[in-house]
Amino acid sequence: MRNHFETVGASMDASRTLPEHPLDPCTAEELASAAAILRGSGRLSDKGAFSCGFLHEPPKDVVLGFQPGNPFDREVRLIGHDPAEKKSFDAIVSVTHEKLVELTWVEDGQAPVSFGDYFRLLDLIAESEDWAAALKKRGIEDLSLVHVEPWVSGVRHPTQDADARTLRALAFVHEHPHDNYYARPVEGLIAFADLDKGTVVIEDYGVVPVPTEPAEYAADRVEKLRDDLKPLEITQPDGPSFEVDGHLIRWQKWQLRIAVTPVEGLVVYDVRYDDDGHDRPVLYRASLSDMVVPYGDGSKMHFWKNAFDAGEAMMGTLTNSLTLGCDCLGEIHYFDNTLLTPDGDTLLIENAVCLHEEDYGILWKHTNVFNPEVTPEVRRSRRLVVSTVNTVGNYEYGFYWYFYTDGTIQMEIKLTGVGAVSVVGESQGTDSAPMVAPGIASPIHQHLFCFRLDFNVDGAENSVCEMDVEPLPAGPGNPHGSGFRSVARVLGTEQEAKRELAPERGRNWRVINPNVTNRFGNPVGYKLVPQASAPLLTGPDSLHTKRARFACHNLWVTPYARDELYADAGPFTNLHSGAAGLPIYTQQNRNTENTDIVVWHTFGVTHVPRPEDWPVMPVEYTGFTLMPVGFFDRNPALDVAPSGHCGD
C-alpha cells in the first residue's frame, strides 16, 4: 500500500452539530459513541482497533420519504481488526438506541489499512535487525534518513501464516528532511510485516547503488521559477450563486447533497433539477466504488503491485485539507470531514471538500450571417464544481463533479503526483519500464476507476439502452450509400449488461424511464458518454485480474440492493481472494429492465511514463459525462441570461 498519513492535516473535532437529514455524515459524537458502544459490548479484545467508521445509510425509501423535522434513526458502520482474533470485523451500531445491532467476523479479506497499521509497520521495521543489515550492505547506516513506504501486499509471504495481517515496505533515502526521497529508491529490498504477530521477513535481491541525481519540485528548491505570468484573479463581487444548507447544495436549477465516506471518498446524493417548477430527480447516489492500479513491469520490485486505493487504502481518509488560491480558485465554500481513529477517537480534516463556480467558455452561440442587423446571440457556460484531492502515497487524485446550466453532469479525475520508480543503473529501461531520469525507470501501469451510479431518472423504474451508430445498407432508403443510423438495444439482464467501449460505433449507454415520456412520446433519459480507455490489461489468470474482475468490463448493470455498494469486496478488499462484488452480484442474472437499477462504469488511464512526468507528473485527465437525452423538451439553457459584456 502507498499511504500519506503524516500529511493528512487533522486535528481534534470539537463540533457538536446534530444531523438534520438521514444522509448527513456522522458527527464526531456519533462516531465516538458508536466506538464506545462496540467496545463496551465486550466483543473486542483490548487490542482491537478501528480502521474506519461511517454512516450506515438508511434504506432508499426512508430517505426519499423523509420530511424535514421528522425524527430518524442513526446507525454507524464500524470496520476494524482485532489481533487477538486474527480477524477483521464489520459492525453496525445504533447510536439512536445505544446498542450493538450486529457484528460479523470476516472470513475472506481484511479491514483496510489504517493509521495505526502504518505506525505499527514503522515500529516493526525499526526493530528489525535484518532490515538494518540489508541497508548497511548498501552503505546506509543512518536509519533516520530512510523513508519507509507502506504497500498493501495483495498476497502474504510464503513463510507467513494464512491469516497474517500483512503489509509490505519499500525504502527510499533522504539527503535532507524535505527533499524528494522518491529520487533515491533502495532497489532490491522488500520487507513483509505480519502486524498481528509482530514479525518481519526480508527479501533482498541484491545490492544496486542508490541514485544520486536530485529531483526536486518544491518551489524553494527549483533552480529558477518563471516570472512572466501576470496575476489572474477570479472575483464575484456579489458573492457566489450557490446556497449551502448543511450538506445540501442549491445552484441554478440543481439540488444535491454531498458527503465523504472512508472508502469511496466524495459521494453525491439525490441529484435533482428544477424544470420550470417541476422537481425532477436524476441520480440517487453516485460515487467511486473502487479502483485498481495494476503494474505491468514483471520485475521483482513491481510484478505484485495491484493496489486498490479505495478498498485497501481508504481513499476518503486520505483527503487533503485544501488551500484557497492553490487547490481552489474563486469564491469558495468548504466542507470539513470527520474521521474515526484506530482508538475510537475522532479527527477533523478541515476544508476537505471545495465548492465553487467556474466560467466554462461558450454555452451556445449563433450569428446570423445573412442578416448583419440581427445581433449575434451568445451565452457563457458556467459550472458548479464539487471537488476533493486525495493523496495515496506517491499519487494524487483529484475528483471533480461538474454540474452545468444545460443539465449536463460530468465527473473528471485529475491524476498527478510522483510515479513509482526502479533503479536500472546503466540500462536504458524496458518496454515495461521506460526511463524517466538517469538510472531511473518507471513501470507502466493503469489507473482503473469503477463508479457506482444509482440512477433515479424521473423515478426509480429505469432501463439501460446501448446506443450504437451503424451504416445503413445501400438500398431504396439509402441510394447513395451515405446513410447511417442510431440503433438502441435494451440491456434486460445482468449478463446482457456486461459491456465494453466501442468508440468506432460511437457507443454510449442511455438510462431511460420507460414510464415517463417527453412531448414526442419518447422515454426521458440521460446518456452516459464514456471516454476512450483501455480495459484491464493484465493476463486472465493473473492475481491482478482475479482480484479486479470489475475492470474486465466497462459497463455493468444491477438491480438496486442496499448492501451492494462496492464493485469488489469494499472495505474488505485487503488480502481478499477476489470472490466478491460485481462478478458475484451478477451471477444471479437478475432483471435490469424497468426496475430500480444501478449502473457501474469502469474507465481510466494507461500510464506509459515519460521523462516529462519526472520528478512530478503534470495532470492527466479521465472521466465521463452524463447528458440529458429527451429529458427536456428543448434546450434547457435558453433562459440563461447574456453576460454583461455581450451586446456592448
Side-chain angles (χ1 to χ4, degrees):
M1 182 203 133
R2 302 156 293 141
N3 229 319
H4 204 58
F5 301 122
E6 65 271 28
T7 61
V8 168
S11 58
M12 187 62 67
D13 184 359
S15 167
R16 297 207 173 266
T17 302
L18 296 176
E20 297 181 352
H21 187 275
L23 292 177
D24 281 351
C26 291
T27 65
E29 291 72 33
E30 288 177 318
L31 290 173
S33 175
I37 290 168
L38 178 53
R39 287 204 182 279
S41 71
R43 300 290 299 276
L44 301 183
S45 76
D46 57 1
K47 294 182 179 179
F50 301 103
S51 293
C52 60
F54 53 99
L55 178 69
H56 183 228
E57 295 174 16
K60 186 185 293 189
D61 59 343
V62 172
V63 174
L64 294 178
F66 172 74
Q67 295 296 322
N70 288 355
F72 52 91
D73 290 345
R74 296 280 283 181
E75 291 184 339
V76 177
R77 188 174 179 188
L78 299 172
I79 308 293
H81 187 81
D82 193 337
E85 296 284 341
K86 297 204 75 176
K87 287 183 180 179
S88 296
F89 60 84
D90 187 357
I92 305 295
V93 173
S94 170
V95 292
T96 302
H97 302 289
E98 299 184 339
K99 68 176 184 178
L100 174 63
V101 177
E102 64 179 67
L103 183 143
T104 303
W105 293 102
V106 176
E107 298 296 333
D108 190 1
Q110 291 187 356
V113 178
S114 71
F115 304 154
D117 294 317
Y118 175 51
F119 296 132
R120 171 71 166 155
L121 173 72
L122 292 181
D123 290 342
L124 293 176
I125 291 292
E127 296 167 0
S128 171
E129 295 180 0
D130 292 341
W131 176 261
L135 290 170
K136 187 174 182 179
K137 282 169 52 178
R138 292 161 168 82
I140 304 167
E141 299 194 35
D142 185 353
L143 298 187
S144 69
L145 295 177
V146 177
H147 168 76
V148 176
E149 187 92 341
W151 268 83
V152 284
S153 187
V155 294
R156 298 168 176 89
H157 192 271
T159 64
Q160 291 180 323
D161 294 343
D163 56 0
R165 184 157 178 79
T166 303
L167 268 181
R168 299 196 198 206
L170 305 179
F172 301 83
V173 183
H174 285 283
E175 284 193 345
H176 46 79
H178 303 293
D179 65 358
N180 177 19
Y181 48 79
Y182 288 117
R184 286 172 289 280
V186 177
E187 188 70 19
L189 181 61
I190 302 177
F192 292 75
D194 182 338
L195 305 183
D196 286 347
K197 290 183 68 174
T199 58
V200 176
V201 178
I202 303 298
E203 287 196 350
D204 191 339
Y205 310 125
V207 175
V208 178
V210 175
T212 58
E213 181 175 286
E216 303 299 343
Y217 54 82
D220 60 350
R221 297 188 182 279
V222 174
E223 184 175 342
K224 181 178 169 72
L225 297 176
R226 303 182 191 188
D227 59 4
D228 55 349
L229 284 176
K230 303 295 190 266
L232 177 62
E233 301 292 340
I234 307 297
T235 62
Q236 292 182 273
D238 297 329
S241 303
F242 54 75
E243 299 175 358
V244 177
D245 181 6
H247 285 78
L248 175 67
I249 301 168
R250 296 185 181 92
W251 177 79
Q252 288 292 284
K253 300 184 177 185
W254 290 108
Q255 176 179 297
L256 61 142
R257 293 185 173 274
I258 68 154
V260 176
T261 70
V263 170
E264 303 159 288
L266 181 61
V267 183
V268 298
Y269 298 98
D270 200 13
V271 179
R272 296 171 176 267
Y273 193 91
D274 182 353
D275 185 11
D276 291 331
H278 299 285
D279 181 32
R280 303 184 67 185
V282 178
L283 286 165
Y284 175 73
R285 192 182 193 277
S287 70
L288 173 73
S289 71
D290 213 329
M291 59 173 291
V292 64
V293 187
Y295 281 70
D297 181 5
S299 71
K300 292 179 179 179
M301 294 299 292
H302 298 287
F303 79 91
W304 47 272
K305 291 181 177 178
N306 61 127
F308 295 78
D309 287 343
E312 292 176 327
M314 294 192 295
M315 180 73 75
T317 67
L318 304 174
T319 304
N320 286 199
S321 184
L322 302 174
T323 304
L324 180 64
C326 299
D327 301 294
C328 308
L329 190 62
E331 189 77 21
I332 307 299
H333 180 90
Y334 291 108
F335 298 85
D336 299 338
N337 187 42
T338 304
L339 305 178
L340 181 68
T341 63
D343 61 359
D345 209 332
T346 59
L347 294 171
L348 181 71
I349 301 180
E350 297 180 335
N351 298 356
V353 181
C354 174
L355 173 70
H356 70 289
E357 297 173 272
E358 288 181 348
D359 179 89
Y360 197 61
I362 293 175
L363 172 63
W364 57 263
K365 179 175 181 172
H366 182 63
T367 299
N368 191 328
V369 296
F370 299 106
N371 188 350
E373 295 183 2
V374 176
T375 303
E377 292 287 338
V378 60
R379 302 293 185 269
R380 299 292 301 175
S381 180
R382 189 181 296 193
R383 63 188 185 185
L384 182 73
V385 186
V386 187
S387 64
T388 62
V389 178
N390 306 68
T391 299
V392 188
N394 51 306
Y395 267 100
E396 267 76 19
Y397 301 101
F399 295 92
Y400 293 76
W401 282 105
Y402 300 129
F403 297 87
Y404 294 86
T405 49
D406 66 349
T408 296
I409 304 169
Q410 182 185 3
M411 160 49 59
E412 182 176 69
I413 301 175
K414 302 180 182 182
L415 298 90
T416 180
V418 179
V421 292
S422 284
V423 183
V424 294
E426 298 299 321
S427 167
Q428 290 303 304
T430 68
D431 291 340
S432 295
M435 300 291 292
V436 295
I440 293 181
S442 183
I444 291 176
H445 56 281
Q446 294 183 284
H447 300 263
L448 299 176
F449 307 86
C450 184
F451 267 70
R452 180 183 183 274
L453 306 170
D454 185 348
F455 278 94
N456 192 24
V457 178
D458 267 345
E461 284 71 39
N462 293 169
S463 300
V464 178
C465 299
E466 182 168 270
M467 310 298 298
D468 284 349
V469 177
E470 63 181 30
L472 283 169
N478 185 29
H480 305 291
S482 59
F484 46 93
R485 64 181 179 181
S486 176
V487 179
R489 181 169 77 90
V490 176
L491 305 177
T493 67
E494 290 178 290
Q495 293 300 319
E496 289 179 18
K498 296 179 182 181
R499 306 300 296 163
E500 277 70 62
L501 298 174
E504 75 282 4
R505 299 179 186 175
R507 177 169 293 171
N508 62 76
W509 295 285
R510 188 176 301 178
V511 180
I512 62 170
N513 188 328
N515 312 294
V516 180
T517 57
N518 56 29
R519 64 175 173 168
F520 305 106
N522 297 320
V524 298
Y526 261 75
K527 68 177 179 180
L528 190 165
V529 183
Q531 292 184 9
S533 62
L536 183 67
L537 294 172
T538 54
D541 298 324
S542 68
L543 175 67
H544 302 47
T545 300
K546 184 178 180 181
R547 301 185 68 227
R549 294 198 183 279
F550 68 82
C552 294
H553 300 288
N554 297 113
L555 188 86
W556 307 67
V557 183
T558 61
Y560 168 80
R562 183 187 180 192
D563 59 347
E564 294 181 3
L565 280 176
Y566 306 105
D568 49 21
F572 301 102
T573 300
N574 184 25
L575 296 166
H576 195 277
S577 68
L582 285 169
I584 304 303
Y585 306 157
T586 57
Q587 284 180 358
Q588 305 168 74
N589 200 25
R590 295 166 291 186
N591 172 60
T592 56
E593 185 175 358
N594 199 14
T595 190
D596 191 355
I597 58 169
V598 175
V599 174
W600 310 73
H601 177 41
T602 303
F603 60 94
V605 300
T606 299
H607 189 193
V608 181
R610 56 196 181 122
E612 291 86 351
D613 293 326
W614 185 255
V616 64
M617 185 177 82
V619 164
E620 188 167 356
Y621 302 86
T622 188
F624 61 88
T625 303
L626 303 176
M627 296 182 67
V629 180
F631 187 78
F632 302 103
D633 288 337
R634 61 177 184 173
N635 181 353
L638 283 175
D639 59 355
V640 173
S643 70
H645 300 286
C646 296
D648 289 352

